[in-house]
Amino acid sequence: MPDLVHGPRIAIIGGGIGGLAAGAFLRRAGLTATVYEQAPALAEVGAGLVVAPNAVRLLRRLDVIERFLRRAVPLDWGWEFRRWADGGVLSVERLSGVCERLYGERTYAVHRADLLGTVRSAVPHEWIRLGARCTSVEPRPDGALLRFADGSQVEADVVIGADGVHSVVRGAVAEPAPPEYSGICAFRTVVPTHAAPEFALRPAQTLWLGPGRHFVHYPIADGSAVNIVAFAPAGDFTDESWSTTATIEEFHAEFAGWDPRVTDLITSGGVPGRWALLDRAPLRHWSRGRITLLGDAAHPMFPFFAQGAAQSIEDAAVLAHCLAASADDPEQALKRYESARIERTTRLQQVSRARRDINHLPDGPDQQARDATLAAADPLVSNGWIYGYDAEEALTS
């Protein structure tokens, strides 16, 4: 860890995975920052996520990999796709040994709270300000003025908006644009190991594909629970908040007639969360002067490639490198950061959106063609542009 320097006053708005990762990588680069989080305590809502090699290698460089591995589940059995009605296996991708050989790291499943705790461990406690809800960002030639709900104000030389899909900071760098209604909602729940069937405990990410819907499960929290996330038509439901819940009966109704193993998992879970997937077109620019965006504030994407958290970690690593390299010219540093990241994240937004239609084909010729493609494909290789990517190496090559 380099000695900390007296560089620009950096304010990070948002204390989620992306905001804390930004703080961690800035500290690693020798800079200091303050993380402003509106919640009274740091806690990641949601349940599980998959952490692929492109993010794992960056966690290793933060020197937090041992903490991460305490609770992460290696997906050594890999990925499998199953047919909705009878569980017929459409495709299997074994990861054990292959992932490390191709990309130098394994793929893991983890509870979001455990990943948040991992990146938080690399951020000094005194850098974090809780209960600080930013209400406005006023650009200035030499930085920005931040206003908070409690009436306080802060001047910063650099502002990083890591405040998610409803970003306040985004309004200071991009023209306001309402999200588009995707017509899809997601259900999520967690099943304790003792209540889960044996097949769901395998170290695999299993995706059941059916007409208009798909259902995903994998073990998390050191194997003590099974994470479930499922996607179905939203109807007139448009609430994007992760705090919104549904009933088990509503969840069950969406997957009535599916393989009993799916419906049994739904029954075994607790009260499910439910949120609408709203679509946002990629931004052409996400920096203005000394203000920039990171993670979902810059490039929210559907979760169908499991890259949302990974891309925020990549953003954080690249942003820290750019600011450290040009600490005396933050505006140029932010331009370099945006230029390095926008093409990749836009591509991921686009392929994630396309996957929605592929996963939800109705039974018939197109579905049969998709299943044949899945059986013949090698997604670990074909998606090497995602998993083999080294964000820091790409910046310096």
Side-chain angles (χ1 to χ4, degrees), residues 81-144:
F81 292 86
R82 290 178 177 262
R83 179 165 166 77
W84 68 278
D86 57 10
V89 177
L90 306 176
S91 174
V92 174
E93 180 84 8
R94 300 297 184 206
L95 298 185
S96 181
V98 182
C99 205
E100 301 97 298
R101 175 172 57 79
L102 289 175
Y103 306 126
E105 297 286 358
R106 299 160 90 177
T107 295
Y108 300 87
V110 66
H111 196 291
R112 284 178 137 347
D114 293 331
L115 181 57
L116 185 80
T118 294
V119 292
R120 181 185 183 178
S121 70
V123 180
H125 177 76
E126 62 271 18
W127 287 18
I128 300 171
R129 302 284 187 271
L130 299 175
R133 181 169 67 87
C134 182
T135 56
S136 70
V137 180
E138 180 184 320
R140 294 186 171 182
D142 57 351

Side-chain angles (χ1 to χ4, degrees), residues 186 205 214 229 231 275 277 301-308 352:
Q205 180 187 19
H214 77 279
V229 59
F231 303 90
W275 78 98
L277 298 185
M301 57 188 69
F302 289 165
F304 303 148
F305 273 80
Q307 278 290 307
S352 297

Side-chain angles (χ1 to χ4, degrees), residues 289-310:
R290 296 188 175 196
I291 306 170
T292 195
L293 304 175
L294 177 152
D296 285 349
H299 43 72
M301 57 188 69
F302 289 165
F304 303 148
F305 273 80
Q307 278 290 307

Side-chain angles (χ1 to χ4, degrees), residues 9 17 25 27 93 102 120 127 131 147-148 150 176 186 196 209 234 267 269 290 301 309 316 364 367 370 385 392:
R9 296 169 297 175
I17 291 169
F25 279 103
R27 180 171 181 255
E93 180 84 8
L102 289 175
R120 181 185 183 178
W127 287 18
R147 294 186 175 88
F148 294 87
D150 63 0
L209 305 184
T267 302
R290 296 188 175 196
M301 57 188 69
Q367 163 260 320
R370 178 204 64 198
W385 66 275
E392 293 182 320

Side-chain angles (χ1 to χ4, degrees), residues 2 16 23 35 37 44-45 48 66 106 109 115 139 204 213 221 232 245 305 328 345 348 350 356 362 370 375:
V35 179
E37 166 55 40
E44 183 61 81
V45 296
E66 292 304 319
R106 299 160 90 177
L115 181 57
R213 296 159 174 79
T245 61
F305 273 80
D328 58 344
T345 57
L348 274 160
Q350 292 168 339
R356 167 189 61 184
R370 178 204 64 198

Side-chain angles (χ1 to χ4, degrees), residues 61-342:
R61 290 176 192 162
L62 279 180
D63 200 26
V64 295
I65 194 68
E66 292 304 319
R67 180 181 178 117
F68 173 75
L69 295 178
R70 290 176 202 159
R71 300 282 290 170
V73 177
L75 293 180
D76 289 343
W77 277 41
W79 304 311
E80 62 178 21
F81 292 86
R82 290 178 177 262
R83 179 165 166 77
W84 68 278
D86 57 10
V89 177
L90 306 176
S91 174
V92 174
E93 180 84 8
R94 300 297 184 206
L95 298 185
S96 181
V98 182
C99 205
E100 301 97 298
R101 175 172 57 79
L102 289 175
Y103 306 126
E105 297 286 358
R106 299 160 90 177
T107 295
Y108 300 87
V110 66
H111 196 291
R112 284 178 137 347
D114 293 331
L115 181 57
L116 185 80
T118 294
V119 292
R120 181 185 183 178
S121 70
V123 180
H125 177 76
E126 62 271 18
W127 287 18
I128 300 171
R129 302 284 187 271
L130 299 175
R133 181 169 67 87
C134 182
T135 56
S136 70
V137 180
E138 180 184 320
R140 294 186 171 182
D142 57 351
L145 177 67
L146 307 175
R147 294 186 175 88
F148 294 87
D150 63 0
S152 63
Q153 299 182 359
V154 172
E155 293 182 350
D157 301 315
V158 176
V159 176
I160 301 169
D163 48 342
V165 294
H166 299 292
S167 172
V168 170
V169 181
R170 183 177 172 126
V173 301
E175 288 296 321
E180 298 177 12
Y181 179 54
S182 74
I184 298 174
C185 71
F187 293 87
R188 59 174 171 81
T189 189
V190 174
V191 179
T193 295
H194 67 81
E198 188 68 26
F199 85 94
L201 304 181
R202 299 167 304 145
Q205 180 187 19
T206 301
L207 298 90
W208 303 70
L209 305 184
R213 296 159 174 79
H214 77 279
F215 186 96
V216 184
H217 59 82
Y218 47 82
I220 57 171
D222 197 26
S224 66
V226 175
N227 180 71
I228 294 172
V229 59
F231 303 90
D236 58 1
F237 180 80
T238 59
D239 194 336
E240 199 180 15
S241 170
W242 276 34
S243 62
T244 304
T245 61
T247 65
I248 293 178
E249 291 73 22
E250 288 171 326
F251 192 2
H252 212 286
E254 290 292 344
F255 292 86
W258 282 50
D259 187 294
R261 288 172 288 185
V262 169
T263 53
D264 286 350
L265 268 174
I266 292 173
T267 302
S268 300
V271 174
R274 186 187 189 193
W275 78 98
L277 298 185
L278 302 184
D279 198 9
R280 288 171 172 80
L283 291 174
R284 287 181 291 180
H285 298 285
W286 67 52
S287 296
R288 176 186 175 189
R290 296 188 175 196
I291 306 170
T292 195
L293 304 175
L294 177 152
D296 285 349
H299 43 72
M301 57 188 69
F302 289 165
F304 303 148
F305 273 80
Q307 278 290 307
Q311 291 310 299
S312 70
I313 293 170
E314 286 188 8
D315 286 350
V318 171
L319 179 54
H321 190 287
C322 292
L323 283 169
S326 302
D328 58 344
D329 190 352
E331 188 167 344
Q332 183 58 37
L334 298 189
K335 288 179 181 178
R336 185 185 178 203
Y337 155 66
E338 177 188 294
S339 177
R341 295 296 299 154
I342 200 164

